PDB file of all heavy atoms in Angstrom:
ATOM      1  N   ARG W  45       5.963  11.434 -13.216  1.00  0.00           N
ATOM      2  CA  ARG W  45       5.092  12.084 -14.166  1.00  0.00           C
ATOM      3  C   ARG W  45       5.804  12.674 -15.324  1.00  0.00           C
ATOM      4  O   ARG W  45       5.366  12.535 -16.500  1.00  0.00           O
ATOM      5  CB  ARG W  45       4.207  13.126 -13.425  1.00  0.00           C
ATOM      6  CG  ARG W  45       3.232  12.591 -12.488  1.00  0.00           C
ATOM      7  CD  ARG W  45       2.343  13.650 -11.863  1.00  0.00           C
ATOM      8  NE  ARG W  45       1.448  13.050 -10.843  1.00  0.00           N
ATOM      9  CZ  ARG W  45       0.362  12.336 -11.085  1.00  0.00           C
ATOM     10  NH1 ARG W  45      -0.004  12.112 -12.315  1.00  0.00           N
ATOM     11  NH2 ARG W  45      -0.380  11.898 -10.079  1.00  0.00           N
ATOM     12  N   ARG W  46       6.968  13.221 -15.122  1.00  0.00           N
ATOM     13  CA  ARG W  46       7.732  13.822 -16.208  1.00  0.00           C
ATOM     14  C   ARG W  46       8.227  12.670 -17.121  1.00  0.00           C
ATOM     15  O   ARG W  46       8.194  12.814 -18.366  1.00  0.00           O
ATOM     16  CB  ARG W  46       8.916  14.575 -15.682  1.00  0.00           C
ATOM     17  CG  ARG W  46       9.736  15.194 -16.760  1.00  0.00           C
ATOM     18  CD  ARG W  46      10.827  16.144 -16.217  1.00  0.00           C
ATOM     19  NE  ARG W  46      11.685  16.569 -17.291  1.00  0.00           N
ATOM     20  CZ  ARG W  46      12.946  16.772 -17.193  1.00  0.00           C
ATOM     21  NH1 ARG W  46      13.575  16.618 -16.032  1.00  0.00           N
ATOM     22  NH2 ARG W  46      13.655  17.149 -18.251  1.00  0.00           N
ATOM     23  N   ALA W  47       8.704  11.581 -16.539  1.00  0.00           N
ATOM     24  CA  ALA W  47       9.170  10.475 -17.352  1.00  0.00           C
ATOM     25  C   ALA W  47       7.987   9.936 -18.226  1.00  0.00           C
ATOM     26  O   ALA W  47       8.231   9.639 -19.422  1.00  0.00           O
ATOM     27  CB  ALA W  47       9.700   9.338 -16.425  1.00  0.00           C
ATOM     28  N   LEU W  48       6.776   9.867 -17.640  1.00  0.00           N
ATOM     29  CA  LEU W  48       5.626   9.440 -18.425  1.00  0.00           C
ATOM     30  C   LEU W  48       5.382  10.399 -19.565  1.00  0.00           C
ATOM     31  O   LEU W  48       5.086   9.956 -20.688  1.00  0.00           O
ATOM     32  CB  LEU W  48       4.404   9.270 -17.493  1.00  0.00           C
ATOM     33  CG  LEU W  48       3.098   8.965 -18.192  1.00  0.00           C
ATOM     34  CD1 LEU W  48       3.222   7.667 -19.027  1.00  0.00           C
ATOM     35  CD2 LEU W  48       2.028   8.798 -17.133  1.00  0.00           C
ATOM     36  N   GLU W  49       5.421  11.656 -19.320  1.00  0.00           N
ATOM     37  CA  GLU W  49       5.171  12.660 -20.329  1.00  0.00           C
ATOM     38  C   GLU W  49       6.197  12.506 -21.506  1.00  0.00           C
ATOM     39  O   GLU W  49       5.871  12.575 -22.690  1.00  0.00           O
ATOM     40  CB  GLU W  49       5.243  14.093 -19.777  1.00  0.00           C
ATOM     41  CG  GLU W  49       4.055  14.395 -18.861  1.00  0.00           C
ATOM     42  CD  GLU W  49       4.312  15.765 -18.140  1.00  0.00           C
ATOM     43  OE1 GLU W  49       5.279  16.437 -18.451  1.00  0.00           O
ATOM     44  OE2 GLU W  49       3.383  16.074 -17.342  1.00  0.00           O
ATOM     45  N   ILE W  50       7.438  12.300 -21.121  1.00  0.00           N
ATOM     46  CA  ILE W  50       8.502  12.132 -22.116  1.00  0.00           C
ATOM     47  C   ILE W  50       8.285  10.865 -22.964  1.00  0.00           C
ATOM     48  O   ILE W  50       8.354  10.915 -24.162  1.00  0.00           O
ATOM     49  CB  ILE W  50       9.890  12.058 -21.479  1.00  0.00           C
ATOM     50  CG1 ILE W  50      10.280  13.442 -20.849  1.00  0.00           C
ATOM     51  CG2 ILE W  50      10.962  11.621 -22.420  1.00  0.00           C
ATOM     52  CD1 ILE W  50      11.425  13.402 -19.926  1.00  0.00           C
ATOM     53  N   LYS W  51       7.879   9.772 -22.266  1.00  0.00           N
ATOM     54  CA  LYS W  51       7.654   8.552 -23.042  1.00  0.00           C
ATOM     55  C   LYS W  51       6.436   8.653 -23.987  1.00  0.00           C
ATOM     56  O   LYS W  51       6.527   8.233 -25.128  1.00  0.00           O
ATOM     57  CB  LYS W  51       7.402   7.327 -22.063  1.00  0.00           C
ATOM     58  CG  LYS W  51       8.605   6.971 -21.235  1.00  0.00           C
ATOM     59  CD  LYS W  51       9.480   5.897 -21.866  1.00  0.00           C
ATOM     60  CE  LYS W  51      10.698   5.582 -21.102  1.00  0.00           C
ATOM     61  NZ  LYS W  51      10.419   4.617 -20.059  1.00  0.00           N
ATOM     62  N   GLU W  52       5.343   9.298 -23.493  1.00  0.00           N
ATOM     63  CA  GLU W  52       4.200   9.453 -24.297  1.00  0.00           C
ATOM     64  C   GLU W  52       4.553  10.326 -25.550  1.00  0.00           C
ATOM     65  O   GLU W  52       4.075   9.996 -26.637  1.00  0.00           O
ATOM     66  CB  GLU W  52       3.066  10.120 -23.518  1.00  0.00           C
ATOM     67  CG  GLU W  52       2.432   9.150 -22.556  1.00  0.00           C
ATOM     68  CD  GLU W  52       1.289   9.788 -21.704  1.00  0.00           C
ATOM     69  OE1 GLU W  52       1.461  10.917 -21.322  1.00  0.00           O
ATOM     70  OE2 GLU W  52       0.279   9.093 -21.559  1.00  0.00           O
ATOM     71  N   ALA W  53       5.316  11.421 -25.362  1.00  0.00           N
ATOM     72  CA  ALA W  53       5.684  12.274 -26.453  1.00  0.00           C
ATOM     73  C   ALA W  53       6.590  11.579 -27.432  1.00  0.00           C
ATOM     74  O   ALA W  53       6.451  11.769 -28.690  1.00  0.00           O
ATOM     75  CB  ALA W  53       6.318  13.587 -25.911  1.00  0.00           C
ATOM     76  N   ALA W  54       7.549  10.887 -26.946  1.00  0.00           N
ATOM     77  CA  ALA W  54       8.555  10.236 -27.791  1.00  0.00           C
ATOM     78  C   ALA W  54       8.051   8.933 -28.478  1.00  0.00           C
ATOM     79  O   ALA W  54       8.406   8.697 -29.670  1.00  0.00           O
ATOM     80  CB  ALA W  54       9.822   9.957 -27.032  1.00  0.00           C
ATOM     81  N   LEU W  55       7.328   8.144 -27.748  1.00  0.00           N
ATOM     82  CA  LEU W  55       6.968   6.835 -28.210  1.00  0.00           C
ATOM     83  C   LEU W  55       5.440   6.655 -28.506  1.00  0.00           C
ATOM     84  O   LEU W  55       5.114   5.669 -29.141  1.00  0.00           O
ATOM     85  CB  LEU W  55       7.350   5.728 -27.179  1.00  0.00           C
ATOM     86  CG  LEU W  55       8.858   5.692 -26.780  1.00  0.00           C
ATOM     87  CD1 LEU W  55       9.131   4.813 -25.632  1.00  0.00           C
ATOM     88  CD2 LEU W  55       9.720   5.398 -28.014  1.00  0.00           C
ATOM     89  N   GLY W  56       4.689   7.514 -27.996  1.00  0.00           N
ATOM     90  CA  GLY W  56       3.210   7.438 -28.172  1.00  0.00           C
ATOM     91  C   GLY W  56       2.541   6.803 -26.954  1.00  0.00           C
ATOM     92  O   GLY W  56       3.206   6.175 -26.104  1.00  0.00           O
ATOM     93  N   PRO W  57       1.284   7.001 -26.857  1.00  0.00           N
ATOM     94  CA  PRO W  57       0.559   6.548 -25.625  1.00  0.00           C
ATOM     95  C   PRO W  57       0.414   5.065 -25.513  1.00  0.00           C
ATOM     96  O   PRO W  57       0.017   4.574 -24.433  1.00  0.00           O
ATOM     97  CB  PRO W  57      -0.805   7.224 -25.734  1.00  0.00           C
ATOM     98  CG  PRO W  57      -0.996   7.432 -27.208  1.00  0.00           C
ATOM     99  CD  PRO W  57       0.405   7.694 -27.765  1.00  0.00           C
ATOM    100  N   ASP W  58       0.610   4.320 -26.581  1.00  0.00           N
ATOM    101  CA  ASP W  58       0.319   2.896 -26.604  1.00  0.00           C
ATOM    102  C   ASP W  58       1.586   2.011 -26.669  1.00  0.00           C
ATOM    103  O   ASP W  58       1.519   0.832 -26.872  1.00  0.00           O
ATOM    104  CB  ASP W  58      -0.629   2.544 -27.761  1.00  0.00           C
ATOM    105  CG  ASP W  58      -1.900   3.295 -27.680  1.00  0.00           C
ATOM    106  OD1 ASP W  58      -2.426   3.472 -26.595  1.00  0.00           O
ATOM    107  OD2 ASP W  58      -2.394   3.673 -28.704  1.00  0.00           O
ATOM    108  N   HIS W  59       2.749   2.604 -26.512  1.00  0.00           N
ATOM    109  CA  HIS W  59       4.010   1.866 -26.590  1.00  0.00           C
ATOM    110  C   HIS W  59       4.225   1.098 -25.239  1.00  0.00           C
ATOM    111  O   HIS W  59       3.849   1.634 -24.213  1.00  0.00           O
ATOM    112  CB  HIS W  59       5.143   2.838 -26.857  1.00  0.00           C
ATOM    113  CG  HIS W  59       6.467   2.149 -27.218  1.00  0.00           C
ATOM    114  ND1 HIS W  59       7.275   1.600 -26.301  1.00  0.00           N
ATOM    115  CD2 HIS W  59       7.027   1.946 -28.410  1.00  0.00           C
ATOM    116  CE1 HIS W  59       8.324   1.054 -26.895  1.00  0.00           C
ATOM    117  NE2 HIS W  59       8.181   1.249 -28.182  1.00  0.00           N
ATOM    118  N   PRO W  60       4.789  -0.084 -25.339  1.00  0.00           N
ATOM    119  CA  PRO W  60       5.051  -0.822 -24.106  1.00  0.00           C
ATOM    120  C   PRO W  60       5.866  -0.107 -23.052  1.00  0.00           C
ATOM    121  O   PRO W  60       5.641  -0.229 -21.833  1.00  0.00           O
ATOM    122  CB  PRO W  60       5.704  -2.104 -24.517  1.00  0.00           C
ATOM    123  CG  PRO W  60       5.657  -2.147 -26.002  1.00  0.00           C
ATOM    124  CD  PRO W  60       5.158  -0.814 -26.498  1.00  0.00           C
ATOM    125  N   HIS W  61       6.841   0.752 -23.466  1.00  0.00           N
ATOM    126  CA  HIS W  61       7.651   1.439 -22.549  1.00  0.00           C
ATOM    127  C   HIS W  61       6.804   2.544 -21.865  1.00  0.00           C
ATOM    128  O   HIS W  61       7.051   2.924 -20.685  1.00  0.00           O
ATOM    129  CB  HIS W  61       8.878   2.108 -23.226  1.00  0.00           C
ATOM    130  CG  HIS W  61       9.877   1.024 -23.684  1.00  0.00           C
ATOM    131  ND1 HIS W  61      10.306   0.067 -22.858  1.00  0.00           N
ATOM    132  CD2 HIS W  61      10.435   0.849 -24.861  1.00  0.00           C
ATOM    133  CE1 HIS W  61      11.210  -0.702 -23.541  1.00  0.00           C
ATOM    134  NE2 HIS W  61      11.301  -0.202 -24.748  1.00  0.00           N
ATOM    135  N   THR W  62       5.826   3.106 -22.611  1.00  0.00           N
ATOM    136  CA  THR W  62       4.920   4.078 -22.015  1.00  0.00           C
ATOM    137  C   THR W  62       4.121   3.323 -20.935  1.00  0.00           C
ATOM    138  O   THR W  62       3.907   3.908 -19.878  1.00  0.00           O
ATOM    139  CB  THR W  62       4.027   4.684 -23.067  1.00  0.00           C
ATOM    140  OG1 THR W  62       4.795   5.384 -24.060  1.00  0.00           O
ATOM    141  CG2 THR W  62       3.077   5.665 -22.527  1.00  0.00           C
ATOM    142  N   GLY W  63       3.671   2.158 -21.286  1.00  0.00           N
ATOM    143  CA  GLY W  63       2.907   1.350 -20.284  1.00  0.00           C
ATOM    144  C   GLY W  63       3.733   1.047 -19.013  1.00  0.00           C
ATOM    145  O   GLY W  63       3.171   1.088 -17.900  1.00  0.00           O
ATOM    146  N   THR W  64       5.017   0.818 -19.165  1.00  0.00           N
ATOM    147  CA  THR W  64       5.900   0.681 -18.026  1.00  0.00           C
ATOM    148  C   THR W  64       5.907   1.931 -17.134  1.00  0.00           C
ATOM    149  O   THR W  64       5.801   1.879 -15.913  1.00  0.00           O
ATOM    150  CB  THR W  64       7.301   0.254 -18.417  1.00  0.00           C
ATOM    151  OG1 THR W  64       7.205  -0.999 -19.132  1.00  0.00           O
ATOM    152  CG2 THR W  64       8.227   0.104 -17.235  1.00  0.00           C
ATOM    153  N   SER W  65       6.060   3.088 -17.766  1.00  0.00           N
ATOM    154  CA  SER W  65       5.998   4.357 -17.023  1.00  0.00           C
ATOM    155  C   SER W  65       4.704   4.622 -16.379  1.00  0.00           C
ATOM    156  O   SER W  65       4.614   5.128 -15.254  1.00  0.00           O
ATOM    157  CB  SER W  65       6.369   5.514 -18.011  1.00  0.00           C
ATOM    158  OG  SER W  65       7.702   5.440 -18.364  1.00  0.00           O
ATOM    159  N   VAL W  66       3.566   4.217 -17.057  1.00  0.00           N
ATOM    160  CA  VAL W  66       2.277   4.367 -16.412  1.00  0.00           C
ATOM    161  C   VAL W  66       2.206   3.448 -15.156  1.00  0.00           C
ATOM    162  O   VAL W  66       1.731   3.853 -14.100  1.00  0.00           O
ATOM    163  CB  VAL W  66       1.180   3.978 -17.438  1.00  0.00           C
ATOM    164  CG1 VAL W  66      -0.188   3.904 -16.695  1.00  0.00           C
ATOM    165  CG2 VAL W  66       1.108   4.983 -18.543  1.00  0.00           C
ATOM    166  N   GLY W  67       2.695   2.265 -15.313  1.00  0.00           N
ATOM    167  CA  GLY W  67       2.723   1.283 -14.191  1.00  0.00           C
ATOM    168  C   GLY W  67       3.573   1.760 -13.053  1.00  0.00           C
ATOM    169  O   GLY W  67       3.237   1.589 -11.896  1.00  0.00           O
ATOM    170  N   ASN W  68       4.723   2.427 -13.403  1.00  0.00           N
ATOM    171  CA  ASN W  68       5.618   2.913 -12.318  1.00  0.00           C
ATOM    172  C   ASN W  68       4.943   4.004 -11.566  1.00  0.00           C
ATOM    173  O   ASN W  68       5.052   4.051 -10.324  1.00  0.00           O
ATOM    174  CB  ASN W  68       6.924   3.432 -12.919  1.00  0.00           C
ATOM    175  CG  ASN W  68       7.822   2.350 -13.474  1.00  0.00           C
ATOM    176  OD1 ASN W  68       7.660   1.134 -13.138  1.00  0.00           O
ATOM    177  ND2 ASN W  68       8.747   2.709 -14.354  1.00  0.00           N
ATOM    178  N   LEU W  69       4.267   4.893 -12.264  1.00  0.00           N
ATOM    179  CA  LEU W  69       3.535   5.932 -11.553  1.00  0.00           C
ATOM    180  C   LEU W  69       2.404   5.342 -10.723  1.00  0.00           C
ATOM    181  O   LEU W  69       2.211   5.783  -9.525  1.00  0.00           O
ATOM    182  CB  LEU W  69       2.946   6.948 -12.570  1.00  0.00           C
ATOM    183  CG  LEU W  69       2.124   8.116 -11.945  1.00  0.00           C
ATOM    184  CD1 LEU W  69       2.948   8.898 -10.974  1.00  0.00           C
ATOM    185  CD2 LEU W  69       1.622   9.006 -13.068  1.00  0.00           C
ATOM    186  N   ALA W  70       1.739   4.362 -11.207  1.00  0.00           N
ATOM    187  CA  ALA W  70       0.708   3.679 -10.403  1.00  0.00           C
ATOM    188  C   ALA W  70       1.293   3.074  -9.101  1.00  0.00           C
ATOM    189  O   ALA W  70       0.662   3.261  -8.031  1.00  0.00           O
ATOM    190  CB  ALA W  70      -0.006   2.596 -11.238  1.00  0.00           C
TER     191      ALA W  70
END
Side-chain angles (χ1 to χ4, degrees):
R45 290 187 184 282
R46 182 172 174 216
L48 174 56
E49 290 171 6
I50 292 168
K51 293 272 179 81
E52 286 179 320
L55 302 173
D58 300 322
H59 192 279
H61 293 310
T62 301
T64 298
S65 290
V66 171
N68 289 343
L69 179 57

